[in-house]
Amino acid sequence: MKIRVLGAAAGGGFPQWNCNHPNSRRARDGDPAAAPRTQSSITVSADGAHWFLFNASPDLRQQINANSILHPKNSPRHSPIQGVVLTNADVDHVTGLLTLRESQPLVIYATGRVLGVLGANSIFNVLNPELVQRRPITLEQPFELGGPEGYRSGLTVKPFAVPGKVALWLEDATKGPNFGSVEEDTIALEVSGPAGGPRFYYIPGCAEMTSALAERIRGADLIFFDGTLWVDDEMIRDGVGIKTGKRMGHLSVSGEDGTMAALRELGIKRRIFIHINTTNPILLDDSAERKAVNEAGWEVAYDGMAINLD
Ligand code: MLT
Ligand code: MN
């Protein structure tokens, strides 16, 4: 199984267009210890020729150009991209679908809830409905990643709900403290190859580590996990926002109730933070916080990070 990180930053990217936080300034100034990152997405393949996107970032065009594995190989029209699996309807995860127009056969996999959001926004019809299939996925029901023209990857994906909330732009304040969120709004993906082979998890958004989630991911070969914030109130503290991580549906990296602590004893072989916000000091190669996550056995994803999981 081959995995490539296309974008490691959270919504807005690093640096974000209107952000003048010191981290963003360093990235904008070309500081080598503050490498820019595009918005959150990975791509996965069994054979190195057929690839599936996990989420479609607004930066997808740039991500395709930066990764030759995703370049057209056959003329006149071709793409190694077979399909897209969506974990929620956030702007940073669905707007890249619009980049995939131009009558290219594809499969979009998403929950009924997220497909409903796409269906309610007619701009997504720019993906020619005659060529782009929308396949509903069901929580806890494994399915094989397959392409639009019969390609079968042999990779199995099991979608499951994780604590989270509805996309920011779909929040309904009249529906109480969870803004009308339902289980299918935020899912994670378990990906495995042939029986006995490796298993990894893609969890770019998660609000809480429940004991059920901890048991599920125990002993995994690899996990990509929500690394949005270092501490819950970091955006308020740094004067760039008014929301906590909890309010946005993100568990923080540090602290006794944070992600590093929660995953410390789960025997996961490789742990990687992804979906990282501009304010998070782990983005900086020379920060004390980066050192702390590395010493705890975690890696920080970067654009172009390539992993072979066999
Ligand atoms: C999030 O992960 O919280 C969202 O991507 C925020 C946003 O839509 O800007
Ligand atoms: Mn996001």
Side-chain angles (χ1 to χ4, degrees):
M1 203 176 337
K2 297 169 200 317
I3 305 165
R4 178 76 58 95
V5 174
L6 299 177
F14 178 53
Q16 181 177 304
W17 73 281
N18 64 344
C19 180
N20 209 16
H21 184 281
N23 294 1
S24 286
R25 269 206 304 278
R26 286 182 63 177
R28 211 171 271 123
D29 288 348
D31 183 330
R37 286 161 168 84
T38 61
Q39 294 166 79
S40 143
S41 172
I42 65 170
T43 188
V44 179
S45 176
D47 61 4
H50 302 80
W51 291 85
F52 293 86
L53 306 179
F54 287 9
N55 292 320
S57 146
D59 301 318
L60 182 55
R61 178 180 174 279
Q62 178 186 343
Q63 293 169 343
I64 291 170
N65 286 338
N67 289 279
S68 60
I69 51 172
L70 300 182
H71 293 176
K73 303 288 186 301
N74 310 321
S75 57
R77 284 286 171 98
H78 169 259
S79 174
I81 299 172
Q82 299 288 301
V84 186
V85 189
L86 301 174
T87 63
N88 61 22
D90 280 4
V91 169
D92 53 350
H93 289 163
V94 300
T95 49
L97 291 174
L98 302 176
T99 298
L100 298 174
R101 63 195 185 280
E102 315 296 1
S103 288
Q104 186 67 35
L106 293 167
V107 182
I108 299 172
Y109 298 93
T111 62
R113 171 84 159 177
V114 170
L115 286 182
V117 172
L118 301 184
N121 285 271
S122 51
I123 194 168
F124 290 105
N125 293 338
V126 74
L127 297 165
N128 185 344
E130 284 176 19
L131 298 170
V132 179
Q133 301 167 28
R134 300 184 187 187
R135 288 193 200 158
I137 59 177
T138 305
L139 298 178
E140 306 295 345
Q141 297 288 313
F143 64 92
E144 181 181 0
L145 281 176
E149 289 162 332
Y151 169 71
R152 296 182 59 174
S153 68
L155 299 178
T156 300
V157 173
K158 180 152 71 158
F160 57 96
V162 290
K165 76 164 182 62
V166 68
L168 170 65
W169 61 283
L170 295 167
E171 287 183 2
D172 183 348
T174 66
K175 294 205 171 142
N178 79 354
F179 307 101
S181 306
V182 300
E183 268 200 319
E184 288 194 352
D185 279 319
T186 312
I187 65 165
L189 306 173
E190 176 190 287
V191 187
S192 50
R199 162 177 70 111
F200 88 92
Y201 290 88
Y202 177 61
I203 312 182
C206 182
E208 192 192 335
M209 182 54 58
T210 60
S211 50
L213 178 55
E215 283 321 304
R216 192 193 282 266
I217 62 181
R218 185 182 288 282
D221 296 289
L222 167 68
I223 190 167
F224 289 96
F225 200 87
D226 183 344
T228 309
L229 299 181
W230 174 252
V231 287
D232 194 50
D233 63 352
E234 148 187 325
M235 291 178 55
I236 301 168
R237 187 195 62 192
D238 292 355
V240 301
I242 55 168
K243 288 183 187 166
T244 60
K246 285 195 184 79
R247 167 65 185 81
M248 297 188 298
H250 298 292
L251 181 63
S252 296
V253 167
S254 67
E256 270 318 295
D257 54 358
T259 304
M260 282 195 293
L263 272 68
R264 199 181 286 143
E265 310 292 345
L266 298 181
I268 299 168
K269 295 187 188 71
R270 199 165 171 191
R271 291 161 287 165
I272 302 175
F273 284 116
I274 198 164
H275 190 283
I276 307 160
N277 194 56
T278 51
T279 48
N280 192 331
I282 68 172
L283 284 169
L284 306 173
D285 297 349
D286 55 6
S287 68
E289 293 84 355
R290 167 69 72 81
K291 191 162 179 275
V293 297
N294 288 161
E295 282 175 2
W298 283 81
E299 297 167 73
V300 174
Y302 52 89
D303 292 17
M305 184 181 201
I307 294 172
N308 280 324
L309 198 62
D310 292 311

